[in-house]
Structure formats: structure tokens, C-alpha cells
């Protein structure tokens, strides 16, 4: 049923493009649907079209960066997160994802700096705490890793996200 909904969304968005091919939001929305369908080449095409129409659309750079991250094209992901942050310096998720990408590339000081900014902007950003925990774990600093993972778990519990809470607590037990 979900696939059917996505395909209907694409058909609707195709019609919207036919009506107004200069409307960046339509390309962005269709890019989001393609991303959810894991059709990354089409997502990148649509995000790029949205950017061509509106080069100041921070969320599109962020979303294209996510696709590049999924494709393991880390440098392009970082470039898009950089652009999203340049347009919107308060884009906490761009900082979080750029930090995660730096983590993958073993650039821990840059990763920690970005994750600190993401947390400062949104203290409820569980993914940023999880990512910081993962960095410290990889560096062999289990006490610090546990501290950040426990913070993420507490936030999940406060949000009523029992599954996520239990997963983090299980990870902490396995440290």
C-alpha cells in the first residue's frame, strides 16, 4: 500500500511539473519520494533541478546530501551540507549529518564540533547524541560513549519512544 501511495504521489507531482516546470517545491517533493523509494539517481536529478530554480533552498541541499551519504559519496554529501549550512546556519540536521559523515571519514574533531552545534541548536537531537557516543566508542572512550548514549536513551524515554530507548539501553549493556 505504501508503494502504491508513493507511485501516486509521483504521478501527481509529474502533473504539477507539467503545469509549472519552474516550481522548485515540486521537484523537491518528488525528490523526497524518490529518496524514500531508494531511487537515488532520480532523487538527485530532482533535487538538482530544484536547486537550479532556487539556489537558496537549504533543505534541498540537505536532502541531496542525504542521498549522497546513502550512496557513500561522502565528499559530495559534505559539500551539500556545507551549502545548506551556509544558507541556513541554524540547520541542526545538516550539522548532525555532516558530523556523521566526518565520523565515517574518521575526522573526529570536525565530527564532534558539528555534533556539538547540532545539540546546541536542538538539545533533543537524539541522533547527535548517538553519533557522539559512537565516536567516543570508536576512540576507545567507553565512559564518554556511555554518557552520550544514556542521554539519547533518556530523551527517547521522555518522548515515549520505547523501542528506540530499549535499543540504546541494549547497546549500552553491550559496551
Amino acid at each position: 500500500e505504501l508503494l502504491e501511495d508513493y507511485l501516486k504521489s509521483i504521478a501527481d507531482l509529474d502533473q504539477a511539473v507539467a503545469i509549472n516546470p519552474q516550481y522548485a517545491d515540486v521537484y523537491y517533493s518528488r525528490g523526497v519520494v524518490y529518496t524514500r523509494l531508494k531511487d537515488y539517481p532520480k532523487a538527485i536529478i530532482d533535487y538538482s533541478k530544484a536547486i537550479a530554480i532556487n539556489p537558496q533552498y537549504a533543505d534541498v541541499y540537505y536532502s541531496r546530501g542525504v542521498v549522497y551519504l546513502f550512496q557513500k559519496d561522502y565528499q559530495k554529501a559534505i559539500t551539500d551540507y556545507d551549502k545548506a549550512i551556509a544558507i541556513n546556519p541554524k540547520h541542526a540536521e545538516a550539522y548532525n549529518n555532516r558530523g556523521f559523515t566526518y565520523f565515517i571519514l574518521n575526522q573526529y574533531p570536525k565530527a564532534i564540533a558539528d555534533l556539538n552545534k547540532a545539540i546546541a541548536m536542538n538539545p533533543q537531537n537524539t541522533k547527535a547524541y548517538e553519533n557522539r557516543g559512537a565516536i567516543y566508542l570508536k576512540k576507545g572512550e567507553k565512559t564518554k560513549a556511555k554518557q552520550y548514549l544514556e542521554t539519547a536513551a533518556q530523551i527517547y524515554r521522555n518522548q515515549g519512544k520505547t523501542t528506540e530507548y530499549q535499543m540504546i539501553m541494549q547497546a549500552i549493556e553491550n559496551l
Side-chain angles (χ1 to χ4, degrees):
E1 184 179 310
L2 194 58
L3 176 62
E4 195 174 295
D5 291 342
Y6 284 146
L7 296 177
K8 181 177 177 348
S9 294
I10 288 172
D12 292 344
L13 292 164
D14 287 346
Q15 286 184 324
V17 166
I19 294 167
N20 183 356
Q22 293 302 310
Y23 191 43
D25 285 348
V26 175
Y27 292 106
Y28 172 60
S29 296
R30 194 169 64 182
V32 169
V33 175
Y34 282 133
T35 301
R36 290 188 178 143
L37 289 170
K38 295 182 174 39
D39 190 341
Y40 301 136
K42 285 184 181 176
I44 289 171
I45 289 168
D46 275 350
Y47 291 142
S48 298
K49 285 180 182 175
I51 289 166
I53 295 165
N54 180 0
Q56 296 303 308
Y57 205 153
D59 286 343
V60 181
Y61 284 102
Y62 166 77
S63 295
R64 191 173 68 178
V66 169
V67 172
Y68 286 136
L69 178 62
F70 289 156
Q71 293 182 317
K72 297 180 175 25
D73 194 339
Y74 302 124
Q75 202 50 57
K76 283 185 180 177
I78 288 170
T79 299
D80 274 356
Y81 297 141
D82 288 346
K83 188 67 176 171
I85 290 166
I87 294 166
N88 177 6
K90 296 189 184 307
H91 203 302
E93 287 306 312
Y95 279 106
N96 181 60
N97 279 33
R98 188 174 71 178
F100 179 71
T101 306
Y102 283 136
F103 165 63
I104 290 169
L105 297 172
N106 297 318
Q107 296 180 23
Y108 302 138
K110 287 182 177 181
I112 289 170
D114 275 353
L115 295 170
N116 284 346
K117 288 178 184 170
I119 290 168
M121 288 178 210
N122 177 7
Q124 301 299 304
N125 190 332
T126 52
K127 294 298 180 196
Y129 288 107
E130 289 179 55
N131 290 336
R132 285 218 40 194
I135 290 169
Y136 285 116
L137 191 59
K138 188 131 185 215
K139 290 174 67 175
E141 298 180 40
K142 286 186 180 181
T143 303
K144 277 190 177 180
K146 185 177 177 183
Q147 174 189 357
Y148 285 102
L149 293 173
E150 284 175 343
T151 301
Q154 184 63 41
I155 294 167
Y156 280 133
R157 190 169 72 190
N158 292 344
Q159 294 172 343
K161 295 181 178 179
T162 308
T163 303
E164 291 87 345
Y165 169 76
Q166 290 171 342
M167 286 175 58
I168 297 290
M169 293 308 293
Q170 184 65 46
I172 291 169
E173 283 181 35
N174 292 333
L175 290 182

